[in-house]
Amino acid sequence: MKSIGINGYGTIGKRVADAVSAQDDMKIVGVTKRTPDYEAKAAVEKGYDLYISVPERESQFEEAGIEVAGTADELFEKLDLVVDCTPGGIGAQNKTDIYEKIGLKAIFEGGEDHDAIGSSFNAEANYADNIGEDYVRVVSCNTTGLCRTLKPIYDISGIKKVRAVMVRRGADPSDVKKGPINSIVPTTEVPSHHGPDVQTIIDDINVMTMALLVPTTLMHTHNIMVELEDKITTDDVLDAFENAHRVLPVQKSLKLGSTAEIMEYAKDLGRSRGDMYEIPVWKESVNIENGELFYMQAVHQESDVVPENVDAIRAMLELEEDGEKSILKTNKAMGIL
Amino acid sequence: MKSIGINGYGTIGKRVADAVSAQDDMKIVGVTKRTPDYEAKAAVEKGYDLYISVPERESQFEEAGIEVAGTADELFEKLDLVVDCTPGGIGAQNKTDIYEKIGLKAIFEGGEDHDAIGSSFNAEANYADNIGEDYVRVVSCNTTGLCRTLKPIYDISGIKKVRAVMVRRGADPSDVKKGPINSIVPTTEVPSHHGPDVQTIIDDINVMTMALLVPTTLMHTHNIMVELEDKITTDDVLDAFENAHRVLPVQKSLKLGSTAEIMEYAKDLGRSRGDMYEIPVWKESVNIENGELFYMQAVHQESDVVPENVDAIRAMLELEEDGEKSILKTNKAMGIL
Amino acid sequence: MKSIGINGYGTIGKRVADAVSAQDDMKIVGVTKRTPDYEAKAAVEKGYDLYISVPERESQFEEAGIEVAGTADELFEKLDLVVDCTPGGIGAQNKTDIYEKIGLKAIFEGGEDHDAIGSSFNAEANYADNIGEDYVRVVSCNTTGLCRTLKPIYDISGIKKVRAVMVRRGADPSDVKKGPINSIVPTTEVPSHHGPDVQTIIDDINVMTMALLVPTTLMHTHNIMVELEDKITTDDVLDAFENAHRVLPVQKSLKLGSTAEIMEYAKDLGRSRGDMYEIPVWKESVNIENGELFYMQAVHQESDVVPENVDAIRAMLELEEDGEKSILKTNKAMGIL
Amino acid sequence: MKSIGINGYGTIGKRVADAVSAQDDMKIVGVTKRTPDYEAKAAVEKGYDLYISVPERESQFEEAGIEVAGTADELFEKLDLVVDCTPGGIGAQNKTDIYEKIGLKAIFEGGEDHDAIGSSFNAEANYADNIGEDYVRVVSCNTTGLCRTLKPIYDISGIKKVRAVMVRRGADPSDVKKGPINSIVPTTEVPSHHGPDVQTIIDDINVMTMALLVPTTLMHTHNIMVELEDKITTDDVLDAFENAHRVLPVQKSLKLGSTAEIMEYAKDLGRSRGDMYEIPVWKESVNIENGELFYMQAVHQESDVVPENVDAIRAMLELEEDGEKSILKTNKAMGIL
């Protein structure tokens, strides 16, 4: 039973904590928090020991009636591995300033650069490469989403070139400060950074991406066009998606024709926090014309990377050598279809 | 163990089904559905027997791979009570066309008129009046919300007059057809129907309401002004809210300053479907000036009435004589604070 | 022909510039800008001389191809009066740091405190009080909106008490950074500051307000309840609104039942920038019950104060002694109904 | 001075009416309307003679105080050409049921099928082909947008293949009934119909499109990838866009980085109704990598086709033989940059 900690109990951190707790070969020893807010309160109510990142604020937590178990540094000493879910850029600092100094293995999230961490992770695509690694980056929600569906296509057909337009939600559901309220905001750096990031996982795929922000909080969507190497059929692709891990073909004709209805479906399935860990692909959108495959998928930005974090822990701590077995074990514990 | 059915497994129906299933003195025997969509699919995956309202559509369900247990009429024969969660107005028709003819007790939701059903229900305010009743209407989400917080104030101070402005969400979260996308739409019938509906529960409260629609899917909010009979303090009111059932005082200062953050909190609490059964009241908004109390609350339109349905079942089937005991029993089973 | 300048050519400033330009007794000598953006570009294209607030940035304007006429200080020397449309709080600083030192009359907007400026202005309610004044604050869009419709009621009936709930747009139309995208955000300071601000104009009206933010960019709406002194009818109120300046009764039944449709109507009327200077009141919402008047109105946050600025200039520079005459003159020049 | 009528004075119809009125070789004789709403009222206030499509409703117009000049059939007799702006599909019916019978030339909008009308129009691309034609379809806002920027690229380089993802606004600004409020809704028919529609104008361009709806009312955006025939540079493309008619390169760096800011800019330019007739292209997004051109553009769905309607009138009535001259004449009259 390996001892895991979460540094940064926020949108991703709290989900990884729950996912780790659902496994039988690892457990959460504690989580860290900077601010005494309702998330901190809920963490303690849920039974997690709470360690504070800013020791001077202990009295603030006391005033808010939130029990503190110690400081972040005290937590780190008790761990086999820390999952760093701090905001983008902080993780890389923590790596050099803290984890390397005390010899603590660490996972980082997609807000960090590949080069700063050294290794990037997607369970389906490169589990084996990360066995025993000390520092690993689980790639971002969007890169994870692209890898999940491109890998199976790559395996059955080969890929000449991928073009994708990423339609991104403006803010996370509980973020009420960020807009836009009524506007489309293009990311004018074209191609966007999403394409090259896929290559940190599958290095010989050529992926060109464009991205934009829209006024929704629910999910991103990806509009994907793939020039195929081999001649395959739409059914081949649908089969590949059905057989892939953490990919969920859905049907508009069953009233799953939008990100909102998919989020409702995740609630109906009884998922923790209503999360959708899989990448839903709209079956009706899958179509091949003149050797080019078109499809549309959605990405639940808060949760698709969560099972990947669990698998990364298993690889890094050498709890399981076979990626496929880890994926199935994680899925079963989390109720993934 | 009483046998309960749900007629209309939609937004409210599926929640009542889960809430009933969580109790130890009643169980779900089956649910009905008109259309073979993902909700129907999820119902069967969850283990509910599915009965179809339109027998001619059986082949459509078969094609969609959704197992059918029988017709709605066949279900009704097996029940001690049906909870009718069909769209507004259909319930009253079902009462005369079906339930009265076969002598089946039935609960209706807030979309029906009080007069068409005969009795209206709120657990805290009038449980005792509904013991043994055959046909009972659980009042709407908004009326439930008003009753929950007005009753405790009424009990400690008496109320001269209530004024409330109801800011309503434009559509339920999974409804992608309805707007508005970027507009405020006032309900120009002023006062609105919400005030008189409170009087079906607490008959001597004078409540004047105004209502409007805004572009959000998450929760309604109520902006309430109460002219008090007696001289009480803000602390008296906060105490009354703390002690009331299914009222949840929350603090903006702990980052719960919006409906979005409250919805996130419900997820953090591990609530089924991320539901918030209680009426959150913003503590910072509670204020008395010159004998008039001001406060702001939110209403989770999809779920606040759900525990009320459970209590109504208990009253109507005489499973429990004491409303307080039923409330506590329901709350415990559903994880209500 | 009086010489007017605009300090801060933004959302309000550019509209005041155009409104002043439409008059025959005053003209715009120049406007100031801090940043070389499209607003600055459009100002020059429109023919306004552009003066820069941060002289060091002259090269930035040059690079962007925007012609600069001089510095803000150079502009101030040429003016009879400056309209300060800088962000809230900066105006009061400018008053003491600049305008008082060089003896320049100045108008400030609603983001400044009444006490910091000394006098508050609404053309209909207190034009006469501001004749010859040196420093005057045109009250905020919301306070202006409340004064516009409360004054006529006050005049025909007297007012015991006003309660209003202000439903505010989350951000201005071109502000893509601010949220909320999908949430209601209550202002938990209750009563809000809007009520007392009305008293800077009509001192013996007791106005209690509550406020909240919603995800729209178009207009605020006010839900107003007025306890009347005298017995009047709904028709009396509708007549008073018809006869009031800058109040526009509109009908939901003619498809003007939302803020979005009202904004479209303003475009159809050929208004500059599609602005709605009047306060639209929904006729269907006007209703008296038991001596209390209810009504709903909208406020175009970007433009309702614009004609007030013109009238304030006339009062302060003693161009016209009679407020009514100034209002009619301003209205005619701006195409106000 | 040719006599033009508008059949269907709605979102597009009212704009075409104003655009025609701004020309010196054609005039509006009358417009038709079905419903006595504020648009009808504003039409009359603006000076247009109003003819009613449903003669039986004359009394409804009278009651609403809207003056009626006659019936639609009476209007048609007075015209040289009618612009049919009725909802999609109605136009084709009107063609066979009315216009062909009375020998009236007619323009239709993009909601009609190419085959039903016979000829499709874009001023820049195929003006000459439509000279003297009796029935012409001005292609939709999206097809117009694609033609405007693809034509200049086609002219300088040749085009192998175009891929585009069309991010569409959920509803027009004044449409408060339609959603989605908080969801992305993909159009799962992939490729979408937009690509083939371009070929009704430029027949040898291969355009593959995907489309989706998002919760905004302002503009569509297009994310475009063009495989080029010839080796050209980004500067060549920017030059081509600068020189093209009705294409407006804009800079994010001047705070024009979103559809909302572009709409504000159109207001700042003093455009009628705040319309943006040009296709704005974000300069920063224009980029060529490995022979493939990427760029992002926006489409003001309510107005980009408006000047095209004017040019189509000129071609069909043989008022001008040279398309370029017509474009320049229309642009000048409408204030197009």
Side-chain angles (χ1 to χ4, degrees):
Chain A
M1 199 73 161
K2 294 294 183 177
S3 293
I4 311 297
I6 306 293
N7 193 14
Y9 186 83
T11 301
I12 298 294
K14 63 192 179 189
R15 286 172 164 87
V16 174
D18 291 353
V20 166
S21 300
Q23 314 300 318
D24 62 11
D25 52 353
M26 55 187 82
K27 66 176 178 194
I28 292 295
V29 172
V31 304
T32 78
K33 200 85 184 94
R34 294 178 63 83
T35 318
D37 57 14
Y38 74 90
E39 267 181 342
K41 217 176 170 85
V44 174
E45 280 166 10
K46 233 178 178 168
Y48 294 124
D49 284 348
L50 190 79
Y51 294 80
I52 57 177
S53 311
V54 189
E56 298 73 31
R57 291 195 189 157
E58 187 166 357
S59 60
Q60 291 180 29
F61 280 79
E62 271 169 21
E63 276 163 40
I66 300 168
E67 197 184 347
V68 171
T71 66
D73 288 339
E74 289 166 1
L75 172 63
F76 298 150
E77 286 170 19
K78 302 176 183 172
L79 303 179
D80 294 310
L81 182 150
V82 68
V83 183
D84 187 301
C85 301
T86 55
I90 309 289
Q93 282 178 34
N94 289 343
K95 176 169 175 273
T96 50
D97 295 355
I98 308 176
Y99 311 140
E100 288 182 348
K101 288 191 180 152
I102 62 173
L104 179 60
K105 285 187 180 233
I107 288 175
F108 303 87
E109 303 303 314
E112 306 305 320
D113 286 335
H114 172 79
D115 290 340
I117 310 302
S119 185
S120 289
F121 182 89
N122 172 269
E124 184 76 14
N126 70 354
Y127 184 97
D129 300 345
N130 288 282
I131 290 177
E133 282 287 328
D134 287 337
Y135 301 108
V136 167
R137 178 183 77 122
V138 171
V139 290
S140 74
C141 58
N142 279 314
T143 305
T144 297
L146 289 171
C147 291
R148 288 252 183 91
T149 53
L150 289 176
K151 184 64 172 37
I153 299 164
Y154 180 85
D155 288 347
I156 61 168
S157 151
I159 289 178
K160 282 186 201 156
K161 190 169 186 176
V162 179
R163 295 169 184 85
V165 174
M166 335 285 286
V167 182
R168 294 166 53 216
R169 60 92 189 91
D172 276 335
S174 68
D175 181 348
V176 299
K177 304 261 167 161
K178 265 201 219 160
I181 294 175
N182 186 32
S183 182
I184 298 173
V185 183
T187 304
T188 52
E189 289 76 37
V190 177
S192 72
H193 69 277
H194 304 91
D197 205 44
V198 172
Q199 292 166 351
T200 66
I201 299 293
I202 315 174
D203 56 13
D204 60 344
I205 284 191
N206 180 4
V207 184
M208 304 301 275
T209 50
M210 302 175 89
L212 56 140
L213 279 184
V214 299
T216 176
T217 62
L218 294 184
M219 301 179 99
H220 307 302
T221 71
H222 297 170
N223 303 276
I224 304 177
M225 300 166 250
V226 185
E227 287 189 81
L228 301 165
E229 287 282 357
D230 300 342
K231 201 176 163 92
I232 55 172
T233 67
T234 299
D235 281 343
D236 293 336
V237 175
L238 286 170
D239 285 349
F241 286 161
E242 289 286 358
N243 293 325
H245 297 301
R246 298 173 188 161
V247 173
L248 182 67
V250 295
Q251 282 172 267
K252 183 179 182 165
S253 59
L254 293 184
K255 291 201 190 159
L256 284 177
S258 65
T259 55
E261 289 155 299
I262 287 174
M263 284 284 89
E264 183 78 5
Y265 185 49
K267 289 181 180 178
D268 284 355
L269 292 174
R271 293 293 174 77
S272 166
R273 300 172 190 276
D275 284 344
M276 176 55 76
Y277 309 113
E278 299 93 335
I279 303 301
V281 178
W282 281 282
K283 277 188 181 182
E284 288 93 338
S285 75
V286 178
N287 192 20
I288 297 177
E289 295 227 351
N290 298 322
E292 183 158 8
L293 165 67
F294 297 82
Y295 64 100
M296 290 165 148
Q297 66 183 27
V299 168
H300 189 218
Q301 69 270 2
E302 301 138 82
S303 77
D304 72 330
V305 300
V306 172
E308 306 290 330
N309 275 270
V310 173
D311 294 324
I313 293 171
R314 244 183 231 117
M316 293 165 70
L317 295 180
E318 300 178 66
L319 292 168
E320 172 59 61
E321 276 188 23
D322 181 346
E324 172 95 7
K325 282 189 188 159
S326 176
I327 290 173
L328 292 174
K329 188 176 172 67
T330 303
N331 284 2
K332 195 176 170 194
M334 294 178 71
I336 295 176
L337 298 175
Chain B
M1 200 73 162
K2 294 295 183 177
S3 293
I4 311 297
I6 305 292
N7 194 12
Y9 186 84
T11 302
I12 298 294
K14 64 192 178 188
R15 286 173 163 86
V16 175
D18 291 353
V20 166
S21 300
Q23 313 299 318
D24 63 11
D25 51 354
M26 56 187 81
K27 65 176 179 196
I28 292 294
V29 172
V31 304
T32 79
K33 200 87 182 94
R34 294 178 65 84
T35 318
D37 58 14
Y38 74 89
E39 267 181 342
K41 218 177 171 84
V44 174
E45 281 166 10
K46 232 178 180 170
Y48 294 125
D49 283 349
L50 191 79
Y51 294 80
I52 57 176
S53 312
V54 189
E56 298 73 31
R57 291 195 190 158
E58 187 166 357
S59 60
Q60 291 179 28
F61 281 80
E62 271 168 22
E63 277 164 39
I66 301 168
E67 197 185 347
V68 170
T71 66
D73 287 339
E74 288 167 0
L75 171 63
F76 298 151
E77 285 171 19
K78 302 176 182 171
L79 304 179
D80 294 309
L81 182 151
V82 68
V83 184
D84 187 302
C85 300
T86 56
I90 310 289
Q93 282 179 32
N94 288 345
K95 176 169 176 273
T96 50
D97 294 355
I98 308 174
Y99 311 141
E100 287 181 349
K101 288 190 179 152
I102 62 173
L104 178 60
K105 286 187 180 231
I107 288 176
F108 303 88
E109 303 303 314
E112 306 304 320
D113 285 336
H114 172 79
D115 290 340
I117 309 303
S119 185
S120 288
F121 181 89
N122 172 269
E124 183 76 14
N126 71 354
Y127 183 98
D129 299 346
N130 288 283
I131 290 177
E133 283 287 328
D134 287 338
Y135 301 108
V136 166
R137 179 182 76 121
V138 172
V139 290
S140 74
C141 59
N142 279 315
T143 305
T144 297
L146 289 171
C147 291
R148 289 253 182 91
T149 53
L150 289 175
K151 183 64 169 42
I153 299 165
Y154 181 84
D155 288 346
I156 62 168
S157 151
I159 289 177
K160 281 187 200 156
K161 190 169 187 176
V162 179
R163 294 168 185 86
V165 175
M166 335 285 286
V167 181
R168 294 166 52 215
R169 58 93 189 91
D172 275 336
S174 68
D175 181 349
V176 299
K177 304 261 166 157
K178 264 202 221 161
I181 294 174
N182 187 33
S183 181
I184 298 172
V185 183
T187 304
T188 53
E189 291 74 38
V190 176
S192 72
H193 69 276
H194 304 91
D197 204 45
V198 172
Q199 291 165 352
T200 67
I201 300 292
I202 315 174
D203 58 12
D204 60 342
I205 285 192
N206 180 4
V207 184
M208 304 301 275
T209 50
M210 302 174 89
L212 56 141
L213 280 184
V214 299
T216 177
T217 62
L218 294 184
M219 301 179 99
H220 306 301
T221 71
H222 297 170
N223 303 275
I224 304 176
M225 301 167 247
V226 185
E227 288 189 79
L228 301 164
E229 287 282 355
D230 300 341
K231 202 178 164 91
I232 55 172
T233 67
T234 299
D235 282 344
D236 294 336
V237 175
L238 286 171
D239 285 349
F241 286 160
E242 290 285 359
N243 294 325
H245 296 302
R246 299 171 187 163
V247 173
L248 182 67
V250 296
Q251 283 173 266
K252 182 179 183 166
S253 60
L254 292 184
K255 291 200 190 159
L256 285 177
S258 65
T259 55
E261 289 154 300
I262 287 174
M263 283 284 88
E264 182 79 5
Y265 185 50
K267 290 181 179 177
D268 284 355
L269 292 174
R271 292 293 173 78
S272 165
R273 299 171 193 277
D275 284 344
M276 176 54 78
Y277 309 112
E278 300 92 334
I279 303 301
V281 179
W282 281 283
K283 277 187 179 181
E284 288 95 336
S285 75
V286 179
N287 191 20
I288 297 175
E289 294 228 353
N290 299 319
E292 184 158 8
L293 166 66
F294 298 82
Y295 65 99
M296 290 165 148
Q297 68 183 27
V299 168
H300 189 218
Q301 68 270 3
E302 302 138 84
S303 77
D304 72 330
V305 300
V306 173
E308 306 291 330
N309 275 270
V310 174
D311 293 324
I313 293 170
R314 240 180 235 121
M316 293 166 70
L317 295 180
E318 300 178 63
L319 292 168
E320 172 59 60
E321 276 188 24
D322 181 347
E324 172 95 8
K325 283 189 187 158
S326 175
I327 290 173
L328 292 174
K329 188 176 173 66
T330 304
N331 285 1
K332 195 176 170 193
M334 294 178 70
I336 295 176
L337 299 175
Chain C
M1 201 73 161
K2 294 294 182 175
S3 293
I4 311 296
I6 306 292
N7 194 14
Y9 186 83
T11 301
I12 298 293
K14 64 192 178 189
R15 287 172 164 87
V16 175
D18 290 352
V20 166
S21 300
Q23 313 300 318
D24 63 10
D25 51 354
M26 55 187 82
K27 65 175 179 193
I28 292 294
V29 172
V31 305
T32 78
K33 199 87 182 93
R34 295 178 64 83
T35 319
D37 57 15
Y38 73 91
E39 268 181 341
K41 216 175 171 84
V44 174
E45 281 166 11
K46 234 179 178 166
Y48 294 124
D49 284 348
L50 191 78
Y51 294 80
I52 57 177
S53 311
V54 188
E56 298 74 30
R57 292 193 188 159
E58 187 166 357
S59 61
Q60 292 180 28
F61 281 78
E62 271 168 22
E63 278 164 38
I66 301 168
E67 196 185 349
V68 170
T71 66
D73 287 340
E74 288 167 1
L75 172 62
F76 298 150
E77 285 170 19
K78 303 177 183 171
L79 304 179
D80 294 309
L81 182 151
V82 67
V83 184
D84 186 301
C85 300
T86 55
I90 309 289
Q93 282 177 34
N94 288 344
K95 176 170 176 272
T96 51
D97 294 356
I98 307 175
Y99 310 141
E100 288 182 348
K101 287 190 179 152
I102 62 173
L104 178 60
K105 286 188 181 231
I107 288 175
F108 304 88
E109 303 303 312
E112 306 304 320
D113 286 335
H114 171 78
D115 290 341
I117 309 303
S119 186
S120 289
F121 180 89
N122 173 269
E124 183 76 14
N126 71 354
Y127 184 97
D129 299 345
N130 288 282
I131 290 177
E133 283 287 327
D134 288 337
Y135 301 109
V136 166
R137 179 181 76 122
V138 171
V139 291
S140 74
C141 58
N142 279 313
T143 305
T144 296
L146 289 171
C147 290
R148 289 252 183 92
T149 54
L150 289 175
K151 183 63 171 40
I153 300 164
Y154 180 85
D155 287 347
I156 61 169
S157 151
I159 289 178
K160 281 187 200 156
K161 190 170 187 176
V162 178
R163 294 168 184 87
V165 174
M166 336 285 285
V167 181
R168 294 165 53 214
R169 60 92 189 90
D172 275 336
S174 68
D175 181 350
V176 298
K177 304 262 166 157
K178 264 202 220 161
I181 294 174
N182 186 33
S183 181
I184 299 172
V185 183
T187 304
T188 53
E189 290 74 38
V190 176
S192 71
H193 70 277
H194 304 90
D197 203 44
V198 172
Q199 292 166 352
T200 66
I201 299 294
I202 315 173
D203 57 12
D204 61 344
I205 284 191
N206 180 5
V207 184
M208 305 300 276
T209 50
M210 302 174 87
L212 56 141
L213 280 184
V214 299
T216 177
T217 62
L218 294 183
M219 300 180 100
H220 308 301
T221 71
H222 297 170
N223 303 276
I224 305 178
M225 299 166 249
V226 184
E227 287 188 81
L228 301 164
E229 286 283 356
D230 300 343
K231 203 176 163 91
I232 56 172
T233 68
T234 299
D235 282 343
D236 293 336
V237 176
L238 286 171
D239 285 349
F241 287 160
E242 290 285 359
N243 294 324
H245 297 301
R246 299 171 188 163
V247 173
L248 182 67
V250 295
Q251 283 173 265
K252 182 179 183 164
S253 60
L254 292 184
K255 292 202 189 157
L256 286 177
S258 64
T259 55
E261 288 154 301
I262 288 174
M263 284 284 89
E264 183 79 5
Y265 185 50
K267 290 181 180 178
D268 284 354
L269 292 175
R271 292 293 174 79
S272 166
R273 301 170 190 277
D275 284 343
M276 176 54 78
Y277 309 112
E278 300 92 335
I279 302 301
V281 178
W282 281 282
K283 277 188 180 181
E284 289 94 336
S285 75
V286 178
N287 192 19
I288 296 175
E289 294 228 352
N290 299 320
E292 185 158 6
L293 166 66
F294 298 82
Y295 65 100
M296 291 164 147
Q297 68 182 27
V299 167
H300 189 217
Q301 68 270 1
E302 301 138 83
S303 75
D304 72 330
V305 301
V306 172
E308 307 291 330
N309 275 270
V310 174
D311 293 323
I313 293 170
R314 244 182 231 116
M316 293 165 69
L317 294 180
E318 299 178 64
L319 292 167
E320 172 59 61
E321 275 188 25
D322 182 345
E324 172 95 7
K325 282 189 188 159
S326 175
I327 290 173
L328 292 175
K329 188 177 173 65
T330 303
N331 285 1
K332 195 177 170 193
M334 294 178 71
I336 296 176
L337 299 175
Chain D
M1 200 74 162
K2 295 292 182 178
S3 293
I4 311 296
I6 305 293
N7 194 14
Y9 186 83
T11 301
I12 297 293
K14 65 192 176 188
R15 286 173 163 86
V16 174
D18 291 352
V20 166
S21 300
Q23 312 300 319
D24 62 11
D25 51 354
M26 55 188 82
K27 66 175 178 194
I28 292 294
V29 172
V31 304
T32 78
K33 199 85 183 94
R34 295 178 63 84
T35 319
D37 57 15
Y38 74 90
E39 267 181 342
K41 218 176 169 84
V44 175
E45 281 166 11
K46 234 177 179 169
Y48 294 125
D49 283 348
L50 191 78
Y51 294 80
I52 57 176
S53 312
V54 190
E56 298 73 31
R57 290 194 190 158
E58 187 166 355
S59 61
Q60 291 179 29
F61 281 78
E62 271 169 21
E63 276 163 39
I66 301 168
E67 197 184 347
V68 171
T71 66
D73 287 339
E74 289 166 0
L75 171 62
F76 298 149
E77 286 169 19
K78 304 176 183 171
L79 303 179
D80 295 308
L81 182 151
V82 68
V83 184
D84 187 302
C85 301
T86 55
I90 309 290
Q93 283 178 33
N94 289 343
K95 175 169 176 274
T96 52
D97 295 356
I98 307 176
Y99 310 141
E100 288 181 348
K101 288 189 180 154
I102 62 174
L104 178 60
K105 286 187 181 231
I107 288 175
F108 303 88
E109 303 302 313
E112 305 306 319
D113 285 336
H114 172 78
D115 291 341
I117 308 304
S119 185
S120 289
F121 181 89
N122 172 270
E124 183 76 15
N126 71 353
Y127 183 97
D129 301 345
N130 288 282
I131 290 177
E133 283 287 328
D134 287 337
Y135 302 108
V136 167
R137 180 182 75 122
V138 171
V139 291
S140 74
C141 59
N142 279 314
T143 305
T144 297
L146 289 170
C147 291
R148 288 253 183 90
T149 52
L150 289 176
K151 184 64 171 38
I153 299 164
Y154 180 85
D155 288 345
I156 60 168
S157 151
I159 289 178
K160 282 187 201 155
K161 190 170 187 175
V162 179
R163 294 168 184 87
V165 175
M166 335 284 285
V167 181
R168 293 165 52 215
R169 61 92 189 90
D172 275 335
S174 68
D175 181 349
V176 299
K177 303 261 165 158
K178 265 203 219 159
I181 294 174
N182 186 32
S183 183
I184 298 172
V185 183
T187 303
T188 53
E189 290 74 38
V190 176
S192 71
H193 69 277
H194 303 91
D197 205 45
V198 173
Q199 292 166 350
T200 67
I201 299 294
I202 315 174
D203 57 12
D204 61 343
I205 284 192
N206 180 5
V207 184
M208 304 299 276
T209 50
M210 303 174 87
L212 56 140
L213 280 184
V214 299
T216 177
T217 62
L218 296 183
M219 301 179 99
H220 307 301
T221 71
H222 296 171
N223 303 276
I224 304 177
M225 300 167 249
V226 184
E227 288 189 80
L228 300 165
E229 287 283 357
D230 300 342
K231 203 176 162 92
I232 55 172
T233 66
T234 299
D235 282 343
D236 293 336
V237 176
L238 286 171
D239 284 348
F241 287 159
E242 291 284 358
N243 294 325
H245 297 301
R246 299 174 188 161
V247 172
L248 182 67
V250 295
Q251 282 173 266
K252 182 179 183 166
S253 60
L254 291 184
K255 291 201 189 158
L256 285 178
S258 64
T259 56
E261 289 155 299
I262 286 174
M263 284 285 89
E264 183 78 5
Y265 185 51
K267 290 181 181 178
D268 284 355
L269 292 174
R271 292 292 174 80
S272 166
R273 299 171 192 275
D275 284 343
M276 175 55 77
Y277 309 111
E278 300 92 335
I279 303 301
V281 178
W282 281 282
K283 277 188 180 181
E284 289 93 336
S285 75
V286 178
N287 192 19
I288 296 177
E289 295 228 350
N290 300 320
E292 184 157 6
L293 166 67
F294 298 81
Y295 64 99
M296 290 165 149
Q297 68 183 26
V299 168
H300 189 217
Q301 68 269 2
E302 302 138 83
S303 77
D304 71 329
V305 301
V306 173
E308 306 291 330
N309 275 270
V310 174
D311 293 324
I313 293 170
R314 243 182 233 117
M316 293 166 70
L317 295 179
E318 300 177 64
L319 293 168
E320 172 59 61
E321 277 188 23
D322 181 346
E324 171 96 7
K325 282 189 189 158
S326 176
I327 290 173
L328 292 174
K329 188 175 172 67
T330 304
N331 285 2
K332 195 176 170 194
M334 294 178 70
I336 295 177
L337 298 175

